[in-house]
Amino acid sequence: MITEEIRALKERENAVILAHYYVDGAVQALADYVGDSFYLAKVAAKEQKQTIVFCGVRFMGESAKILNPGRRVLLPEAAADCPMAHMADIGQIEALRREVEDLAVVCYVNSTAELKAASDVCVTSSNAVKIVSSLPNQNILFIPDENLGRFVKEHVPGKHFYFSGGHCPVHAQLLAADVESEKLAHPNALVLTHPECTAEVCAASDFIGSTAEIIAYAERSPAREFVLCTEPGVLYELARRCPGKDFYPVTPLCADMKLITPQSVLRCLLEGSGEVVMDKGLMEAARRPLEKMLALG
Ligand code: 13P
Ligand code: SF4
C-alpha cells in the first residue's frame, strides 16, 4: 500500500511531510503537519529532520529552504506554482522607493524569492494586519495581492497604501452573485471568506480570515451551516474538526495545489526529485523579510 511505502521511505530519508490545507485530502492524510502558510513556515524553520517534503506550491518550498537552509526541501510537483507569486515588478518597487519617503514594502509570502528580497517584511493572511499595524512607516507598498492589501488597509487606518495590482486567480474569480445565490439556498448559513477574495465578496461575508482562522471559526461557531469562500481543500480538515456541520464551497479548485498526489509524494521521496535549489545570495536577501515576519507575527 502506498501509505506504507511512503512511511518506509520517510524513515529511510529521515524526512517529514508538510501539507497546506489546499492540497488534496489524500495528500493531507499522509502529512506530519497540515496547516496554513504561516504555521507551515514556522514548522519548516524549526524542523530537525534532514528532508522536508513540502506539499504545496513553489513559494512555500522556497520559504522553507530560505528559513532552514541546512535541510533538503523537496516539492512533489516542481511545476506547482502560484500565479500570483509573480504579479509584482522589482523595477516598480525600486521606483516607488525613490519617490515616496517613509515607505515600507510589505510582501505577501505568496511571492517569488526575488520579490521577497526586494521587500522589507513578509506577511501571510493570518498575520498581515498585526504586522502592518506594528510598522512605524506611514506609507505601505503592499505586494502582490491587492485584495489582501485592501483588507489590511481597512483594518489599519492612518497609513497610506500603494498596490501592485496582483490577485489570486482562484479567489478573485468568485462573484458576490455566486455567494448571494448560495445564501438564498441556505438561509441559515454563515459566509466564511479568505481575504484573497474581492471587496464585493468580503462585503457579503460574516467572517474573513486565513484558512486556519476560517477552520477555527467554523469549529467554535454555534452555527451548523457555512458557505465557504476559499479553496475547497479545507473541507478535509473541516470534516475532521466539525462533524455534523455542513459546508457549501463556492470557490473553484486551485489547479496548482491539486497537482500534488500521493504518487508524486512517493516519487519525490524515492528519487529525491523536485529539490529546491536557490542562489545563496538570493536566499540571504529573502531571509531577512521572512525572519522579520516570524519575529513580528
Ligand atoms: P493561507 O495559508 O495564509 O490561508 O493562504 C492561502 C493561500 O492562498 C495559500 O496559497
Ligand atoms: Fe496561489 Fe491562489 Fe492557488 Fe493560493 S489559491 S496557491 S494564492 S493561486
Side-chain angles (χ1 to χ4, degrees):
M1 206 164 119
I2 191 160
T3 317
E4 288 313 312
E5 281 180 74
I6 289 172
R7 204 193 311 272
L9 282 167
K10 253 173 46 175
E11 285 289 309
R12 189 187 86 181
E13 299 299 321
N14 189 22
V16 63
I17 300 179
L18 276 54
H20 190 270
Y21 286 131
Y22 289 169
V23 299
D24 194 76
V27 176
Q28 292 185 48
L30 298 168
D32 300 289
Y33 300 94
V34 183
D36 71 355
S37 303
F38 188 39
Y39 171 76
L40 294 174
K42 287 187 288 187
V43 170
K46 293 207 175 108
E47 185 52 52
Q48 299 291 321
K49 291 229 159 63
Q50 185 45 39
T51 295
I52 299 172
V53 176
F54 211 123
C55 302
V57 286
R58 173 156 293 275
F59 76 80
M60 296 180 172
E62 285 185 353
S63 296
K65 183 70 188 173
I66 292 164
L67 287 167
N68 203 341
R71 308 288 165 246
R72 179 175 69 149
V73 178
L74 302 179
L75 287 166
E77 289 291 345
D81 197 4
C82 169
M84 180 167 64
H86 305 269
M87 292 186 192
D89 180 77
I90 292 174
Q92 279 172 5
I93 297 171
E94 283 164 1
L96 203 70
R97 278 198 195 277
R98 286 193 293 274
E99 203 180 296
V100 177
E101 277 181 23
D102 195 22
L103 181 78
V105 181
V106 177
C107 185
Y108 191 22
V109 285
N110 297 36
S111 51
T112 61
E114 287 80 0
L115 287 173
K116 289 183 176 78
S119 303
D120 297 304
V121 63
C122 289
V123 297
T124 75
S125 59
S126 63
N127 59 32
V129 170
K130 182 178 175 194
I131 290 177
V132 175
S133 305
S134 76
L135 296 176
N137 310 75
Q138 185 60 31
N139 297 308
I140 305 292
L141 168 59
F142 194 99
I143 59 166
D145 187 6
E146 187 148 353
N147 284 311
L148 176 62
R150 185 209 65 253
F151 174 78
V152 174
K153 180 180 172 180
E154 285 163 10
H155 289 79
V156 186
K159 291 188 193 284
H160 185 78
F161 283 74
Y162 299 84
F163 300 112
S164 66
H167 63 277
C168 160
V170 175
H171 288 83
Q173 72 176 273
L174 180 60
L175 302 175
D178 303 331
V179 179
E180 293 301 345
S181 61
E182 203 66 19
K183 266 168 61 168
L184 278 178
H186 308 286
N188 295 324
L190 296 182
V191 180
L192 311 182
T193 296
H194 197 280
E196 289 174 8
C197 290
T198 63
E200 293 72 28
V201 169
C202 289
S205 304
D206 297 289
F207 176 76
I208 302 165
S210 73
T211 48
E213 289 168 336
I214 285 175
I215 291 164
Y217 183 95
E219 191 175 27
R220 67 173 182 268
S221 170
R224 314 296 301 166
E225 293 179 275
F226 304 88
V227 175
L228 205 51
C229 305
T230 192
E231 212 276 354
V234 297
L235 288 167
Y236 180 78
E237 182 73 4
L238 286 167
R240 225 174 52 77
R241 301 224 325 236
C242 310
K245 295 189 178 182
D246 291 318
F247 296 92
Y248 312 113
V250 284
T251 316
L253 300 179
C254 173
D256 284 273
M257 288 284 193
K258 294 300 189 272
L259 286 174
I260 301 148
T261 61
Q263 288 71 21
S264 55
V265 174
L266 177 75
R267 189 186 58 233
C268 86
L269 275 166
L270 198 59
E271 299 172 0
S273 54
E275 182 171 357
V276 176
V277 180
M278 297 172 72
D279 175 79
K280 276 211 170 64
L282 176 62
M283 288 212 308
E284 247 146 61
R287 185 173 306 125
R288 186 184 32 81
L290 274 170
E291 284 184 340
K292 194 163 177 192
M293 172 183 82
L294 295 185
L296 295 175

